[in-house]
Amino acid sequence: MNSHIRDLLVRAEEEMIFVGPDHPSYDLLAGLVASVRDVWQEGYDHGRRGGAPDNPYRG
């Protein structure tokens, strides 16, 4: 995983610890962290299976 993305995820997880599960933004932050990891893993697995290098998320 790109080190910049990894650093951002670590910072987000630290913020989740700081705000705690009672904070109104906790679920949003947790969902974003999980989504980034899932999408990155999906792209990584696609490449390992020999998929096209095209990025379907580019506009």
Side-chain angles (χ1 to χ4, degrees), residues 1-14 33 36-37 40 44:
M1 184 181 302
N2 178 316
S3 66
H4 177 68
I5 294 171
R6 186 177 305 126
D7 292 344
L8 289 173
L9 290 174
V10 168
R11 283 180 50 205
E13 289 172 341
E14 289 171 353
V33 169
V36 169
R37 280 208 172 97
W40 183 88
Y44 179 79

Side-chain angles (χ1 to χ4, degrees):
M1 184 181 302
N2 178 316
S3 66
H4 177 68
I5 294 171
R6 186 177 305 126
D7 292 344
L8 289 173
L9 290 174
V10 168
R11 283 180 50 205
E13 289 172 341
E14 289 171 353
E15 286 298 316
M16 288 172 58
I17 291 169
F18 175 72
V19 299
D22 296 347
H23 193 277
S25 298
Y26 185 85
D27 288 338
L28 174 64
L29 194 53
L32 289 171
V33 169
S35 294
V36 169
R37 280 208 172 97
D38 292 347
V39 169
W40 183 88
Q41 189 66 52
E42 181 182 318
Y44 179 79
D45 292 343
H46 177 74
R48 287 197 63 187
R49 289 190 302 264
D54 296 334
N55 183 348
Y57 300 105
R58 283 198 186 139

